[in-house]
């Protein structure tokens, strides 16, 4: 009533503002009607969104329910049947999923060392986001079959912008966690043996310290990592990756130095065991695999040396030269049996290599020759 009174007053005085005021009045009424309509349709979504618990509920069913409701709103709402408006609604759902996943992640705990549990949580969040995208693709396929006044023509990059960015940030954190497993402190491995063992262990400690210096820089900006609106994290992650590559080079040089000093199988196994954490990184796993081949080759040379002793009955083989021939043969046999079992056990977690099959066949032939030799003597 007050608006009408104002309009009548303006008309009576022939105000030039009367037309624009009436236009504003119509726009206001239209806006109020639109808001009332939007509230009605958004209330339909409200309960379904409140029941969505990400990432604990990663099944498609609750997400598809929300998406089907969005399709219903798209077909019925006079406001949300326009592409740009339905895009905003879908993007809001994406933002809600990201928000719920973020509250599920405790970055402080993860970066302080709870890496394995952290990786599981992050993978669960990634799976939740991927499930949402899969559900979206399934639901929107039926839009072509729905009779509507508009065409489902939305910008999926806009809808999934937050989702895709968040997933990448989760992958970044997983990468940091994996780097921590490889380059961080590890109490589960033994010391590196040999005359230069202390020197090599000191090099490992230095690499660990350098890594934690870089990790401390990440901790200072951890609030930026999952903030998908901040792009400066990309520079920090690139810096971290480049530094980790430098650490890789240091580790490769260290591994090469260690294996230059390896003279027998037991030293080789001990070194690989002490360096086992590095096998979790592909480039370092490759160099450890090559060193594993080197250990097999050392074993092959030991088999060849023992075989020559058994054939030629030489007595210069230092570990056994003080014993009689039968005792010496028995010691050689037991030594090779013990080493072969050690090598086979190591293969269970280091993996087989091309040299393994050949050298085990070499060992088998030598064993057969030894049995034949025993039978001939007796």
């Amino acid at each position: 009533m007050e608006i009408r009174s104002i309009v009548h007053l303006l008309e009576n005085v022939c105000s030039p503002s009367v037309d624009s005021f009436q236009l504003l009045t119509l726009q206001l009424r239209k806006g109020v009607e639109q808001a009332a309509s939007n509230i009605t349709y958004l209330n339909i979504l409200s309960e379904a969104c409140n029941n969505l618990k990400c990432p604990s509920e990663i099944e498609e069913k609750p997400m598809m329910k929300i998406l089907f409701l969005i399709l219903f709103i798209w077909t019925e709402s006079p406001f949300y049947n326009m592409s740009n408006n339905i895009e905003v609604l879908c993007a809001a759902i994406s933002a809600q999923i990201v928000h719920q996943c973020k509250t599920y992640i405790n970055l402080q705990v993860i970066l302080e060392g709870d890496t394995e549990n952290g990786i599981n949580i992050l993978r669960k969040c990634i799976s939740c986001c991927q499930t949402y995208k899969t559900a979206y693709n399934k639901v929107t396929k039926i839009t072509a079959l729905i009779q509507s006044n508009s065409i489902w023509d939305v910008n999926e990059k806009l809808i999934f912008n937050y989702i895709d960015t968040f997933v990448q940030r989760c992958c970044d954190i997983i990468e940091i966690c994996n780097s921590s497993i490889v380059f961080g402190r590890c109490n589960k491995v033994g010391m590196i043996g040999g005359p230069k063992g202390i020197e090599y262990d000191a090099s490992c400690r230095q690499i660990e310290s350098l890594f934690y210096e870089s990790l401390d820089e990440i901790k200072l900006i951890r609030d930026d990592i999952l903030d998908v609106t901040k792009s400066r994290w990309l520079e920090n992650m690139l810096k971290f990756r480049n530094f980790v590559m430098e650490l890789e080079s240091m580790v490769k040089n260290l591994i090469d130095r260690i294996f230059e000093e390896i003279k027998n199988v037991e030293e080789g196994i001990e070194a690989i065991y002490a360096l086992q954490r590095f096998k979790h990184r592909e480039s370092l796993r490759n160099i450890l695999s090559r060193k594993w081949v080197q250990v097999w080759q050392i074993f092959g040379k030991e088999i060849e040396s023992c075989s020559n002793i058994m054939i030629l009955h030489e007595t210069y083989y230092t570990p056994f030269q003080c014993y009689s021939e039968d005792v010496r043969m028995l010691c050689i046999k037991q030594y090779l049996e013990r080493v072969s079992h050690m090598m086979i056990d190591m293969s269970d977690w280091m993996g087989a290599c091309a040299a393994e099959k050949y050298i085990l066949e070499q060992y088998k032939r030598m064993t057969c020759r030894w049995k034949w030799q025993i039978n001939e003597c007796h």
Side-chain angles (χ1 to χ4, degrees):
M1 294 296 292
E2 292 182 2
I3 294 176
R4 289 179 182 176
S5 299
I6 294 172
V7 171
H8 288 316
L9 180 60
L10 292 173
E11 288 175 341
N12 290 335
V13 297
C14 299
S15 172
S17 302
V18 66
D19 292 336
S20 58
F21 190 83
Q22 287 179 332
L23 178 61
L24 289 173
T25 302
L26 291 173
Q27 290 175 344
L28 179 61
R29 286 175 179 170
K30 184 178 179 180
V32 171
E33 291 174 0
Q34 186 181 91
S37 173
N38 291 347
I39 290 172
T40 300
Y41 287 107
L42 291 177
N43 281 336
I44 298 173
L45 268 180
S46 178
E47 183 180 355
C49 290
N50 289 334
N51 292 333
L52 184 64
K53 306 297 180 184
C54 295
S56 55
E57 290 184 359
I58 60 173
E59 295 83 5
E60 286 186 7
K61 188 175 180 180
M63 293 184 178
M64 290 186 74
K65 179 180 179 180
I66 292 174
L67 291 166
F68 276 124
L69 289 173
I70 288 176
L71 284 189
F72 170 76
I73 293 171
W74 171 65
T75 58
E76 300 296 327
S77 170
F79 175 75
Y80 284 113
N81 65 355
M82 291 180 283
S83 295
N84 57 331
N85 294 333
I86 203 68
E87 281 174 2
V88 172
L89 184 57
C90 291
I93 301 299
S94 297
Q96 178 65 16
I97 291 172
V98 168
H99 174 73
Q100 289 191 10
C101 287
K102 282 174 64 176
T103 58
Y104 191 73
I105 300 170
N106 189 331
L107 269 184
Q108 182 176 357
V109 173
I110 293 173
L111 294 177
E112 288 298 333
D114 191 11
T115 52
E116 293 184 5
N117 185 49
I119 289 173
N120 290 332
I121 290 172
L122 291 161
R123 285 176 176 165
K124 196 170 185 179
C125 291
I126 292 172
S127 179
C128 180
C129 293
Q130 291 172 338
T131 299
Y132 170 61
K133 293 184 72 172
T134 300
Y136 173 89
N137 291 331
K138 287 182 178 180
V139 171
T140 54
K141 280 182 180 179
I142 68 172
T143 55
L145 306 176
I146 298 176
Q147 292 184 352
S148 175
N149 295 327
S150 62
I151 299 174
W152 185 271
D153 182 23
V154 298
N155 186 345
E156 293 187 358
K157 288 185 178 180
L158 176 64
I159 292 174
F160 296 123
N161 181 39
Y162 278 5
I163 291 286
D164 293 338
T165 303
F166 176 74
V167 167
Q168 182 56 53
R169 299 292 175 89
C170 288
C171 291
D172 290 344
I173 303 169
I174 290 175
E175 184 177 341
I176 293 170
C177 289
N178 286 330
S179 297
S180 183
I181 292 171
V182 173
F183 299 104
R185 293 185 183 91
C186 183
N187 298 321
K188 297 180 181 179
V189 298
M191 299 282 288
I192 300 172
K196 295 185 178 180
I198 295 176
E199 175 188 334
Y200 297 146
D201 280 317
S203 296
C204 285
R205 301 291 89 80
Q206 181 189 15
I207 291 170
E208 291 171 2
S209 297
L210 290 172
F211 172 77
Y212 281 114
E213 288 178 11
S214 179
L215 185 61
D216 286 340
E217 294 180 8
I218 296 292
K219 292 177 183 178
L220 292 175
I221 55 171
R222 63 172 174 264
D223 292 338
D224 292 348
I225 301 178
L226 294 178
D227 189 343
V228 295
T229 64
K230 294 181 179 179
S231 60
R232 62 184 179 184
W233 164 250
L234 301 177
E235 296 179 6
N236 294 306
M237 189 61 198
L238 180 61
K239 179 182 177 182
F240 177 81
R241 286 196 182 105
N242 290 336
F243 184 75
V244 167
M245 289 179 66
E246 293 178 13
L247 293 182
E248 275 189 8
S249 297
M250 293 176 66
V251 172
K252 288 177 182 178
N253 292 333
L254 175 62
I255 293 173
D256 284 334
R257 284 163 48 206
I258 291 172
F259 276 85
E260 285 175 359
E261 305 293 329
I262 298 300
K263 303 301 181 185
N264 58 59
V265 171
E266 289 175 289
E267 288 180 357
I269 290 176
E270 184 181 64
I272 287 180
Y273 180 75
L275 299 167
Q276 62 177 297
R277 57 177 162 161
F278 297 122
K279 71 184 178 71
H280 296 292
R281 196 166 185 89
E282 184 177 359
S283 60
L284 299 179
R285 181 167 62 250
N286 292 337
I287 189 172
L288 280 178
S289 295
R290 292 196 296 272
K291 300 307 178 185
W292 180 228
V293 172
Q294 180 180 330
V295 177
W296 274 105
Q297 290 171 342
I298 293 173
F299 182 41
K301 290 179 180 178
E302 290 189 358
I303 293 172
E304 184 178 354
S305 177
C306 291
S307 179
N308 291 336
I309 292 172
M310 293 170 68
I311 293 172
L312 301 175
H313 304 292
E314 294 289 345
T315 59
Y316 57 79
Y317 191 69
T318 305
F320 312 115
Q321 65 182 10
C322 60
Y323 300 105
S324 67
E325 182 177 317
D326 288 344
V327 173
R328 188 169 65 251
M329 294 298 179
L330 180 61
C331 290
I332 291 173
K333 176 179 178 293
Q334 290 177 343
Y335 169 76
L336 291 177
E337 280 182 353
R338 180 172 62 85
V339 172
S340 66
H341 288 312
M342 290 169 60
M343 295 294 288
I344 292 170
D345 290 342
M346 282 286 289
S347 293
D348 290 340
W349 60 271
M350 270 304 294
C353 64
E356 177 180 350
K357 183 178 179 181
Y358 170 78
I359 292 169
L360 286 178
E361 288 178 353
Q362 180 186 0
Y363 170 68
K364 185 177 180 180
R365 288 195 300 270
M366 196 216 70
T367 303
C368 292
R369 186 184 302 121
W370 180 81
K371 290 180 179 178
W372 175 83
Q373 202 168 354
I374 294 295
N375 291 333
E376 285 292 310
C377 293
H378 298 282

